[in-house]
Amino acid sequence: MRVQIAAANWKMNLTVREAEKLLEVLLGESYELTENQKVVFAVPAPYLTIAEEKIAKHSQMFIAAQNVYSKKSGAYTGEVSVTMLQSIGVDHVIIGHSERREYFGETDELIAGKVNICLETNITSIFCCGEALPVREVNQQNSYVSHQLEESLFYLPAEQIVKVVIAYEPIWAIGTGKTASSEQVQEMHAFIRSQIEKRYGIEEAQSISILYGGSVKAANAKEIFSQPDVDGGLVGGASLIAEEFIAIIKALKV
Ligand code: PGA
């Protein structure tokens, strides 16, 4: 059974007090997570240490950075390295989110470099892919996503690709309130899995968690997560509201 993951992506939101309060409420709830389920909080960089301390006693909870640079150290003002993340116990990072691709010009090549450096340091990448609306409108989403996978992931050997988590996030559904239908989600997740199978084999394809992201909320999480190829979600807006994210965690497949 693949690991089922509820990942919160707080993006550039919350003050430190608000962040602490939100985590306290979320951690105060009892979830009865199975060994197969985990919860990841991708918090803003200045809160990584605080968040890490708060979740320390919760065995199935993890903290993620929302970004990392592709070099280990050096004169890269403003950037955060995997070595830094590792030194404070952060073991997950979101890589290649569409907002980073769009607003910060991240290329497939840079993203591949980030995936590589995470693998070298045993940090789990949550690799984001997904098409914009014009691509979906001309029904080119499969070739678009397949190209993203080819360029930034499929050069990896089998023993490394299985350590990556993939998040399919159609850009037209991010922060828009417009969720992809559960059929559209299942169709793309099955496609991504079939591409992994074609390149690597059935065992690899069956072991990689593929999350869906794009306006996931309490009201639709259960239906989306119940799709056979969906292994949880990467949640933006709804992860900032305690009751919403609690319900989303509880909607994970067991
Ligand atoms: P959203 O964001 O849930 O607010 O649509 C998802 C994401 O960008 O990861």
Side-chain angles (χ1 to χ4, degrees):
M1 178 71 176
R2 296 181 296 268
V3 179
Q4 305 294 305
I5 304 168
N9 178 8
W10 288 359
K11 308 192 180 184
M12 198 177 72
N13 291 297
L14 308 176
T15 63
V16 69
R17 293 287 158 259
E18 289 165 345
E20 282 179 318
K21 181 89 197 18
L22 178 57
L23 269 184
E24 274 155 29
V25 178
L26 290 167
L27 298 175
E29 182 73 23
S30 81
Y31 298 100
E32 293 167 16
L33 295 169
T34 67
E35 274 183 16
N36 224 30
Q37 298 174 322
K38 64 186 199 182
V39 180
V40 178
F41 299 98
V43 308
Y47 312 154
L48 285 168
T49 313
I50 296 169
E52 192 61 51
E53 280 164 12
K54 286 211 182 292
I55 58 110
K57 285 196 227 82
H58 299 258
S59 62
Q60 265 134 296
M61 303 216 169
F62 301 85
I63 298 301
Q66 296 175 9
N67 183 29
V68 73
Y69 195 47
S70 56
K71 304 266 192 273
K72 276 199 178 147
S73 65
Y76 302 102
T77 302
E79 291 298 322
V80 169
S81 74
V82 280
T83 317
M84 293 172 187
L85 296 183
Q86 212 176 24
S87 71
I88 56 168
V90 170
D91 40 22
H92 288 69
V93 60
I94 297 175
I95 304 278
H97 190 282
S98 60
E99 287 150 16
R100 303 246 16 121
R101 294 177 190 257
E102 186 180 347
Y103 308 135
F104 303 96
E106 291 200 3
T107 60
D108 289 331
E109 195 187 349
L110 175 68
I111 292 165
K114 293 182 177 197
V115 171
N116 273 337
I117 206 150
C118 286
L119 282 161
E120 272 176 39
T121 35
N122 275 328
I123 290 180
T124 302
S125 303
I126 302 174
F127 171 86
C128 302
C129 56
E131 79 290 350
L133 192 56
V135 175
R136 168 75 56 175
E137 279 171 346
V138 293
N139 205 28
Q140 290 301 306
Q141 63 275 11
N142 286 8
S143 57
Y144 187 89
V145 168
S146 156
H147 183 77
Q148 289 181 316
L149 297 172
E150 290 285 343
E151 294 296 308
S152 305
L153 280 190
F154 282 2
Y155 62 89
L156 293 170
E159 64 275 15
Q160 293 202 323
I161 189 128
V162 293
K163 296 181 185 159
V164 173
V165 172
I166 295 175
Y168 168 60
E169 300 205 306
I171 297 169
W172 47 273
I174 296 178
T176 56
K178 215 186 207 184
T179 327
S181 70
S182 45
E183 291 76 24
Q184 286 172 319
V185 175
Q186 169 55 24
E187 202 181 351
M188 178 57 87
H189 282 225
F191 172 73
I192 293 172
R193 215 177 286 290
S194 75
Q195 296 302 103
I196 303 169
E197 184 176 337
K198 214 158 86 187
R199 170 74 179 78
Y200 294 95
I202 183 123
E203 219 174 286
E204 287 76 8
Q206 285 307 325
S207 68
I208 296 179
S209 299
I210 307 178
L211 317 184
Y212 168 75
S215 299
V216 173
K217 45 186 187 271
N220 60 23
K222 199 141 201 134
E223 193 193 330
I224 294 171
F225 295 174
S226 70
Q227 299 303 309
D229 284 294
V230 177
D231 305 308
L234 178 56
V235 187
S239 74
L240 297 167
I241 304 161
E243 315 81 73
E244 283 281 316
F245 197 58
I246 288 169
I248 291 168
I249 295 171
K250 292 183 174 177
L252 284 175
K253 273 206 273 279
V254 284

